Amino acid sequence: TLTAPAPFADETSCQCQAPHEKLTIAQARLGTPADRPVRVYADGIFDLFHSGHARALMQAKTLFPNSYLLVGVCSDDLTHKFKGFTVMNETERYEALRHCRYVDEVIRDAPWTLTPEFLEKHKIDFVAHDDIPYSSAGSDDVYKHIKEAGMFVPTQRTEGISTSDIITRIVRDYDVYARRNLQRGYTAKQLNVSFINEKKYRFQNQVDKMKEKVKNVEEKSKEFVYKVEEKSHDLIQKWEEKSREFIGNFLELFGPDGAWKQMFQERSGRMLQAFSPRESPNSSPTRGRSPSRSPSPPWVFNKASPPSSPKAASASLSSMSEGDEDEK
């Protein structure tokens, strides 16, 4: 595993110990001794280092079974002169290359056009680059003489990503990035933003914050409503269950064959027995006897019909006396 960044070429000696003999591509593909790796060179600007750069370096590193990859990075002065302004300065671009896993050595301030002296100094066997002619510095293809010398090995470009595409995205979304960096604390001067645009961006940021707050409130309210609906649904279910239970208990107690009817019938029967006791049995000794009526004494008057007149009273007395004489 790699534990340190790749070294700079001017800070270390050449690691190739064996005599540097010229190799053909066929010989290099067959493999070389461990102490004689194939020295492959790749150069570029590597501004805004991205996956397309890394993939090209991976191809250059794996062209041969035993290879040592040197990467040349052009300085700011040379790049601004022949290509244009860069986003990252040369120090940042050097460091980006040093931390790529495929790079064995970084050459700072690399030349724009490769010379025999430069190739000899760094004992370069092959140059890796995409096969598209690269016109620059008054030449239709700066790698033309490398191709003619049989030292050029092509790599494939990664479609869909390039430094120019990334810069185009930034320029297209300039307002978004400017507003975001103003929020992070950058000044309008650092962002090269006018006074009017600064106020406009800050106002838009406030509007976005307000929208975000409204969105959060809406989400919380939806969550609250959902919880209320869930709770109400649970309450309705519990109410339905309790109501069914209550109705069932009511019917068991007060229904046609309920416990209350049975209890009422039992109590009514007891009350009837208490008010109307059963007759004595036929075997009772008093049952066969006829009740003896004691004769009413003659002097007892009928309270229900008192004499209505003195004549009637005297008549009744005379009849009583006659009755007594008869009995005698």
Side-chain angles (χ1 to χ4, degrees):
T1 57
L2 300 176
T3 57
F8 289 119
D10 53 359
E11 294 178 354
T12 182
S13 58
C14 179
Q15 297 182 11
C16 183
Q17 303 296 331
H20 189 71
E21 299 177 355
K22 187 172 180 59
L23 294 173
T24 63
I25 293 179
Q27 291 174 336
R29 293 190 186 281
L30 291 175
T32 57
D35 59 348
R36 174 58 174 93
V38 180
R39 295 175 68 82
V40 180
Y41 176 79
D43 60 357
I45 309 302
F46 301 105
D47 191 20
L48 297 174
F49 190 79
H50 52 75
S51 61
H53 295 141
R55 188 169 180 272
L57 296 176
M58 178 189 69
Q59 294 178 64
K61 175 68 175 177
T62 58
L63 285 170
F64 308 108
N66 182 22
S67 61
Y68 185 85
L69 181 60
L70 300 93
V71 179
V73 184
C74 300
S75 64
D76 287 344
D77 292 338
L78 201 61
T79 304
H80 298 165
K81 178 180 179 181
F82 290 108
K83 188 170 184 178
F85 189 73
T86 59
V87 177
M88 300 169 63
N89 59 44
E90 58 185 28
T91 303
E92 293 168 339
R93 293 185 284 115
Y94 297 153
E95 288 297 323
L97 265 299
R98 290 185 70 196
H99 292 84
C100 178
R101 62 184 301 179
Y102 310 113
V103 179
D104 295 307
E105 190 174 315
V106 176
I107 301 175
R108 292 182 285 193
D109 193 14
W112 197 261
T113 303
L114 300 178
T115 62
E117 293 77 16
F118 178 82
L119 298 174
E120 181 62 29
K121 175 183 177 181
H122 295 281
K123 298 183 180 181
I124 295 171
D125 293 311
F126 300 100
V127 177
H129 200 273
D130 61 79
D131 203 13
I132 300 173
Y134 192 82
S135 58
S136 180
S139 174
D140 295 335
D141 189 1
V142 294
Y143 297 104
K144 183 178 179 180
H145 63 290
I146 302 295
K147 294 176 182 178
E148 292 174 351
M151 298 175 63
F152 186 84
V153 184
T155 58
Q156 297 294 324
R157 290 179 64 90
T158 302
E159 298 296 332
I161 185 169
S162 67
T163 301
S164 299
D165 292 339
I166 296 174
I167 294 174
T168 300
R169 295 179 208 168
I170 296 172
V171 173
R172 181 190 61 196
D173 301 325
Y174 170 76
D175 290 349
V176 176
Y177 293 114
R179 288 168 53 191
R180 184 177 67 181
N181 286 299
L182 283 173
Q183 278 185 314
R184 290 179 174 179
Y186 287 91
T187 64
K189 184 177 180 181
Q190 289 174 324
L191 298 173
N192 195 26
V193 174
S194 66
F195 177 81
I196 296 175
N197 285 335
E198 179 189 4
K199 298 303 178 185
K200 181 182 72 173
Y201 294 151
R202 294 193 183 280
F203 177 74
Q204 289 175 343
N205 288 336
Q206 294 297 327
V207 172
D208 290 344
K209 287 182 180 179
M210 186 61 65
K211 288 181 180 179
E212 189 68 23
K213 288 182 180 179
V214 172
K215 184 179 179 181
N216 293 335
V217 170
E218 288 179 352
E219 291 178 355
K220 290 181 179 179
S221 62
K222 288 180 181 178
E223 184 178 357
F224 176 75
V225 170
Y226 175 76
K227 289 182 178 180
V228 170
E229 289 178 352
E230 188 176 5
K231 290 288 184 182
S232 62
H233 182 69
D234 294 340
L235 289 173
I236 291 172
Q237 280 188 336
K238 290 180 180 179
W239 183 84
E240 289 178 351
E241 293 174 0
K242 291 295 182 182
S243 63
R244 292 193 192 100
E245 183 179 355
F246 175 78
I247 292 170
N249 294 335
F250 183 84
L251 291 175
E252 289 180 1
L253 187 61
F254 298 102
D257 299 326
W260 177 261
K261 183 178 179 180
Q262 295 178 1
M263 183 175 65
F264 180 76
Q265 289 177 352
E266 291 177 359
R267 289 189 177 183
S268 62
R270 291 176 185 175
M271 292 177 67
L272 289 174
Q273 289 180 1
F275 284 110
S276 58
R278 294 179 180 177
E279 295 181 356
S280 301
N282 294 332
S283 60
S284 174
T286 59
R287 183 78 179 175
R289 296 178 183 178
S290 60
S292 59
R293 296 181 180 179
S294 58
S296 299
W299 55 84
V300 177
F301 295 100
N302 189 3
K303 295 181 180 180
S305 57
S308 57
S309 63
K311 289 182 178 182
S314 61
S316 62
L317 286 174
S318 62
S319 63
M320 289 175 61
S321 63
E322 288 177 359
D324 289 339
E325 288 179 356
D326 293 336
E327 287 181 0
K328 289 179 180 181

